[in-house]
């Protein structure tokens, strides 16, 4: 996925990685049953519109980066494709 652009492919979730340094992407559609991004990466089912997904594994204590800046810290391991939200970020 190119930073700053949304990806769209039939049958896949639409996501947006804002900055090249981001380790999360934001989901821009409501198809919570779909488990695939346009680049072929598998993601967890049920992630709501507007929520973040990990683009690679984040270890506990690792910064969560969006917009090219740290927006929080992983409180537990977050595997690639998992939901990134208040339950695993402080």
């Amino acid at each position: 996925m190119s930073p700053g652009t949304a990806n769209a492919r039939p049958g896949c979730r639409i996501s947006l990685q804002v900055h090249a340094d981001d380790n999360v992407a934001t989901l821009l559609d409501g198809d919570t049953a779909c488990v695939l991004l346009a680049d072929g990466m598998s993601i967890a089912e049920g992630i709501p519109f507007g929520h973040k997904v990990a683009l690679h594994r984040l270890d506990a204590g690792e910064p969560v980066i969006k917009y090219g800046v740290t927006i929080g810290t992983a409180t537990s391991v977050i595997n690639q494709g998992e939901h990134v939200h208040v339950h695993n970020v402080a």
Side-chain angles (χ1 to χ4, degrees), residues 1-9 13-18 25-29 37-39:
M1 173 177 7
S2 299
T5 60
N7 64 22
R9 191 173 90 186
R13 297 292 304 261
I14 300 169
S15 63
L16 175 66
Q17 179 184 359
V18 178
T26 302
L27 297 177
L28 302 177
D29 64 68
L37 295 182
D39 66 0

Side-chain angles (χ1 to χ4, degrees), residues 13 27 32 34-36 42-47 53 80-83:
R13 297 292 304 261
L27 297 177
T32 59
C34 185
V35 295
L36 193 65
S42 295
I43 65 169
E45 185 175 5
I47 304 174
V53 61
Q80 180 181 23
E82 286 186 349
H83 190 189

Side-chain angles (χ1 to χ4, degrees), residues 37-73:
L37 295 182
D39 66 0
M41 187 177 94
S42 295
I43 65 169
E45 185 175 5
I47 304 174
F49 169 86
H51 286 234
K52 295 172 293 301
V53 61
L55 295 175
H56 62 80
R57 177 190 161 108
L58 302 173
D59 290 321
E62 189 171 343
V64 175
I65 302 171
K66 183 176 178 181
Y67 315 112
V69 299
T70 298
I71 61 165
T73 303

